[in-house]
Amino acid sequence: MAEALAALGLASNIVQFIDFGLKTTSEIKEIYSSASGLTSEITTLNDIATEHRKTVASLQKSTDDNGPRLSQEDIELKTLATKTVITARKLEDIIDPLRTHNAKPRVRDAVTKGWKSWRSKDKLETVTKELQSYKSVLDTRLLINVRFTEIADTLQLPRSNENMHEPVWDTNAVRNVLRWLKEAPLGRWLVIVDSIDDPEWGVRNLIPVSTKGTVIITSQLQNANTLFPKGSEILEVYTMNDAEAKTLLLRDIETPTLADEERQASQEIVELLGNLPLAVDLARAVITNSRHRERAVRGYLNDLQYRKDIVLKKTGLKGLTQYQKTLSNVWDISIKAVQTHSFSAANLLKFLSFLDPYAVQDEMWRLASQGLQELREDGLVDNNNFPKWLEALLRHNGSWCDSLYEDDLRWLQTYSLVRPLTGEWSGVSMHRLVQWRSQDEILRDEYKSWTMWTILFQAAVSIRLLEEAFEFRRHMIVHLNCLQQLPLTSTIDEYNWIFGRLYADEGWWDEAEKLQVDVMEKRTAKLGPDHPNTLRSMANLASTYWKQGR
């Protein structure tokens, strides 16, 4: 039952471990470098060990729990999960020597002993590389599934899971989309496949073959045109030279009055950024909006050198390309710049990173502002733990007051941290690296709260979609699927009935059934079989069965 959701749940467990593992390697390293025997350090080390054991237990259960039949995709996911369990054991060997319940004089000894043992076996490099490789594989799988399913739903194509024994590029959603593009009943089309720098994972199978449309591929590979059996036109885009890069960097500054020291700093900046247009333009935005523009170029150079020499080494980005490292470095400075200008905008960026980064529609905020009032009336909002800044962004006086939201978005767009979306549903999009860097800003003990706020926000949107804006539902499904990638807490139980109904209304039967069965069982156990809420949950599940003809 609910094979698709089970696979997504397994993927979620893997994602949770990978994110935890990458943060852990960085955190242990940081504790070692500053270990002083403080109680907070003992607590952190013990918390890491406890959380690690829970994560591994969840992963192990996923690999042991075999259903009556396994699809090729299930097998691949379980193989990946098994590999992550092996890596988890390696990480456990690193963590255990660091744990201590003794007095603080023993902390530094324990940390030093554990660290030397780890370093002598070169485990840091091994674990980091393994985690990065798993993340790459899973990101690709999830991205393909989510994107093609969204396209299929937009085109109102079938998305049933009657044949699960197929590789990821041969799922129903992929086949139906490619078939639609080949036949193109509505005219010509354009498909853009971005950043294909590793064709070995099977991207050839995802490129539509048809005379009715155009495919554009962006790649750093010299032979990317071989992805097209019948050939293609090649357009090479060259890197800017030093002069062009400096012109872009200083575009908004009166260069005749620029001090020689600042000019020299601008040359060093473009060299460090490899003359990459996007990176240079991001640097320009920070320099232009600096409160001390007369020394902004030198200040940016200092920040850039610090991030390059310290931050990137500490956060374990060895699995990224040089291009990705450069952008991550620059975006990190941009995020810090936003924090100096607007606390609310900085929090909005973090919050957006928990939603689907490819499209966060303004309509969600309008619906959430209304739905939040509805959830409050039902006693489903803990006002004491709901953040004031998010409350302000969702102000509702008869209609959504979007002025504060627009003000915060302006800061994020100024620093190119989000990009505006136009079309039927306006909104913003976010690069995956910005999403990752934004979440990395959140402290470990605050992560649960951000997850809870995201769940509540999506519940507020979803409860309104049960009554209005039906045409927006298919877009909201994508965001609900992103919830499966979060380390969910029991908080989501209060809203599963809402998510289950929305899934059912959109024909996502497996997902709806899974949630509705869970709600019914928990309400029966907690409230009894005859309680009105229990009976309502039974009615919702019965409706889902009836709509399927069961």
Side-chain angles (χ1 to χ4, degrees):
M1 181 179 65
E3 294 97 335
L5 193 59
L8 195 54
L10 174 55
S12 174
N13 286 337
I14 300 174
V15 168
Q16 183 178 350
F17 167 70
I18 291 172
D19 288 343
F20 166 78
L22 290 172
K23 284 189 176 183
T24 297
T25 55
S26 173
E27 195 160 343
I28 294 175
K29 196 172 181 181
E30 187 173 347
I31 291 174
Y32 166 73
S33 63
S34 63
S36 58
L38 296 178
T39 303
S40 60
E41 289 168 355
I42 299 175
T43 302
T44 300
L45 290 171
N46 291 339
D47 285 348
I48 288 173
T50 301
E51 185 173 349
H52 177 75
R53 283 196 297 272
K54 291 180 180 178
T55 308
V56 174
S58 179
L59 260 181
Q60 188 67 60
K61 184 178 184 299
S62 298
T63 60
D64 294 340
D65 185 16
N66 293 317
R69 61 188 182 126
L70 291 178
S71 69
Q72 179 62 36
E73 186 173 355
D74 291 334
I75 294 172
E76 291 174 5
L77 266 181
K78 287 184 177 294
T79 300
L80 182 60
T82 301
K83 290 180 179 179
T84 56
V85 169
I86 294 173
T87 300
R89 300 304 179 196
K90 295 179 183 178
L91 191 55
E92 192 168 4
D93 291 341
I94 295 167
I95 295 174
D96 278 350
L98 307 182
R99 293 191 71 215
T100 177
H101 298 281
N102 297 327
K104 58 186 180 182
R106 295 289 302 279
V107 175
R108 190 176 187 86
D109 291 341
V111 174
T112 303
K113 179 181 178 182
W115 177 257
K116 286 182 177 178
S117 172
W118 180 13
R119 185 176 54 187
S120 66
K121 297 179 181 178
D122 200 23
K123 290 184 178 179
L124 170 61
E125 188 73 18
T126 301
V127 170
T128 302
K129 284 184 177 180
E130 288 177 0
L131 290 171
Q132 290 289 0
S133 67
Y134 302 155
K135 182 175 177 61
S136 176
V137 170
L138 197 56
D139 280 351
T140 298
R141 175 180 299 282
L142 290 176
L143 185 60
I144 291 172
N145 283 333
V146 170
R147 288 303 130 217
F148 271 90
T149 298
E150 184 181 23
I151 294 171
D153 287 344
T154 299
L155 298 174
Q156 297 183 334
L157 303 177
R159 57 172 303 278
S160 60
N161 294 312
E162 72 278 0
N163 181 14
M164 295 292 290
H165 297 269
E166 49 202 14
V168 67
W169 50 80
D170 197 28
T171 61
N172 282 318
V174 173
R175 285 200 309 270
N176 290 332
V177 169
L178 293 180
R179 185 183 301 115
W180 186 94
L181 291 172
K182 185 176 182 179
E183 298 171 355
L186 300 181
R188 295 188 63 80
W189 47 260
L190 169 66
V191 171
I192 300 176
V193 188
D194 193 23
S195 300
I196 301 303
D197 298 325
D198 179 14
E200 298 304 319
W201 56 268
V203 66
R204 289 179 177 84
N205 300 294
L206 301 175
I207 297 176
V209 179
S210 173
T211 59
K212 296 186 177 182
T214 301
V215 179
I216 296 177
I217 286 180
T218 66
S219 176
Q220 298 183 52
L221 299 175
Q222 293 294 324
N223 61 342
N225 62 314
T226 60
L227 293 172
F228 297 93
K230 297 183 179 180
S232 63
E233 180 181 352
I234 300 176
L235 175 63
E236 292 193 42
V237 180
Y238 298 97
T239 303
M240 294 188 298
N241 59 39
D242 285 357
E244 292 170 332
K246 286 174 63 177
T247 299
L248 174 59
L249 181 70
L250 304 176
R251 187 183 67 189
D252 301 322
I253 297 178
E254 297 179 8
T255 52
T257 61
L258 201 63
D260 290 341
E261 183 184 17
E262 295 288 280
R263 292 180 186 277
Q264 178 59 36
S266 69
Q267 177 63 37
E268 294 181 48
I269 288 174
V270 297
E271 289 176 359
L272 283 172
L273 298 181
N275 292 344
L276 293 172
L278 176 56
V280 174
D281 191 49
L282 289 168
R284 176 202 58 77
V286 174
I287 291 171
T288 301
N289 291 279
S290 173
R291 295 172 179 173
H292 307 287
R293 192 178 292 190
E294 69 279 358
R295 57 179 186 274
V297 181
R298 170 57 60 180
Y300 191 91
L301 176 61
N302 292 337
D303 276 348
L304 191 61
Q305 290 173 331
Y306 171 77
R307 308 285 175 204
K308 182 176 183 294
D309 296 338
I310 304 297
V311 175
L312 290 181
K313 291 180 181 179
K314 194 171 74 172
T315 52
L317 304 180
K318 295 182 181 296
L320 300 183
T321 65
Q322 186 57 48
Y323 172 79
Q324 292 171 322
K325 288 179 180 179
T326 299
L327 285 183
S328 178
N329 205 358
V330 173
W331 266 318
D332 193 54
I333 297 175
S334 299
I335 290 172
K336 293 293 189 290
V338 169
Q339 291 171 349
T340 64
H341 288 291
S342 171
F343 171 79
S344 180
N347 279 331
L348 175 60
L349 181 66
K350 294 178 185 177
F351 188 77
L352 293 175
S353 72
F354 282 85
L355 303 173
D356 175 38
Y358 294 99
V360 180
Q361 300 87 351
D362 297 339
E363 177 70 358
M364 292 180 67
W365 293 86
R366 183 190 72 81
L367 292 168
S369 70
Q370 298 176 3
L372 186 63
Q373 307 302 319
E374 203 168 322
L375 293 178
R376 277 205 171 99
E377 293 173 2
D378 293 337
L380 295 177
V381 179
D382 183 355
N383 293 320
N384 294 326
N385 293 320
F386 196 74
K388 299 299 181 184
W389 61 267
L390 186 54
E391 182 84 53
L393 292 179
L394 293 172
R395 283 188 309 166
H396 183 78
N397 296 322
S399 62
W400 176 42
C401 304
D402 62 352
S403 56
L404 289 178
Y405 177 72
E406 293 294 335
D407 288 343
D408 287 344
L409 272 191
R410 212 166 285 120
W411 280 115
L412 301 184
Q413 291 174 356
T414 295
Y415 290 101
S416 297
L417 293 167
V418 298
R419 299 284 186 180
L421 293 177
T422 57
E424 181 183 7
W425 303 103
S426 61
V428 294
S429 64
M430 175 187 296
H431 193 284
R432 282 281 185 179
L433 281 175
V434 176
Q435 181 188 38
W436 176 75
R437 292 302 297 162
S438 300
Q439 289 194 15
D440 199 50
E441 290 287 311
I442 299 172
L443 299 176
R444 180 186 296 275
D445 57 352
E446 296 178 351
Y447 198 84
K448 180 179 178 180
S449 295
W450 285 88
T451 301
M452 292 169 60
W453 300 335
T454 304
I455 295 169
L456 178 56
F457 177 84
Q458 298 215 38
V461 177
S462 299
I463 200 170
R464 290 307 310 152
L465 286 174
L466 299 179
E467 305 295 336
E468 62 165 309
F470 301 138
E471 65 279 5
F472 185 72
R473 285 177 176 174
R474 56 186 170 83
H475 299 282
M476 188 59 198
I477 292 295
V478 178
H479 295 283
L480 291 187
N481 289 340
C482 287
L483 278 181
Q484 304 298 327
Q485 301 180 41
L486 296 177
L488 301 180
T489 66
S490 59
T491 307
I492 197 172
D493 292 343
E494 301 176 16
Y495 311 113
N496 269 347
W497 68 272
I498 303 174
F499 300 143
R501 277 193 56 189
L502 192 59
Y503 272 129
D505 287 346
E506 282 299 290
W508 288 59
W509 308 120
D510 288 347
E511 291 80 353
E513 180 180 336
K514 172 74 173 181
L515 295 177
Q516 290 173 342
V517 167
D518 182 68
V519 171
M520 182 187 67
E521 290 177 347
K522 288 182 177 178
R523 286 186 176 178
T524 300
K526 183 177 180 179
L527 304 174
D530 299 323
H531 192 278
N533 288 344
T534 305
L535 296 176
R536 271 193 289 270
S537 67
M538 292 178 180
N540 288 336
L541 180 59
S543 176
T544 297
Y545 287 151
W546 181 81
K547 289 176 181 178
Q548 298 177 76
R550 295 169 59 183

